[in-house]
Amino acid sequence: MAKPGHTWNRSRSLEEDEDEEDPVDAMISRTGCMAQHRELQECMAARQDWRHCQPQVRAFGECMARRQRAKEP
C-alpha cells in the first residue's frame, strides 16, 4: 500500500530550493498583483482563517480580474 503524501525523493538541498523562485510567485508577479497577494498571505499567516481576510481576498481577486479583462481582446 502506498504511503500518503509525496512519493518523490528529494534530490536537491533546501538551499537550492530557496535560491529558485516559486513558480506561483513568478506567475503572480507577472500579473502586477504581488502586493495584494502578499497582503493576503500576511493576513492568512496572522489570522489562520481566510474568512477573517475578506478585504484582502477581495482586493487580490479584483486585481486578478482587472488583469484578466485587460488581456481579453
Side-chain angles (χ1 to χ4, degrees):
M1 179 183 253
K3 294 180 182 178
H6 295 288
T7 58
W8 51 271
N9 292 326
R10 180 173 279 289
S11 62
R12 300 183 325 176
S13 71
L14 291 175
E15 292 162 355
E16 288 175 323
D17 287 346
E18 289 176 2
D19 290 342
E20 293 181 24
E21 186 174 21
D22 179 13
V24 173
D25 284 344
M27 181 209 49
I28 293 171
S29 182
R30 288 189 298 270
T31 68
C33 299
M34 185 54 84
Q36 293 85 349
H37 183 255
R38 286 218 173 100
E39 288 176 19
L40 177 55
Q41 286 182 315
E42 289 170 10
C43 181
M44 289 289 298
R47 305 296 298 271
Q48 299 291 308
D49 188 343
W50 66 271
R51 293 172 292 187
H52 295 286
C53 301
Q54 287 307 293
Q56 293 85 352
V57 169
R58 279 191 293 277
F60 180 59
E62 290 168 2
C63 183
M64 293 297 286
R66 281 192 303 272
R67 170 71 175 179
Q68 186 64 33
R69 284 191 301 270
K71 270 180 71 172
E72 294 174 354

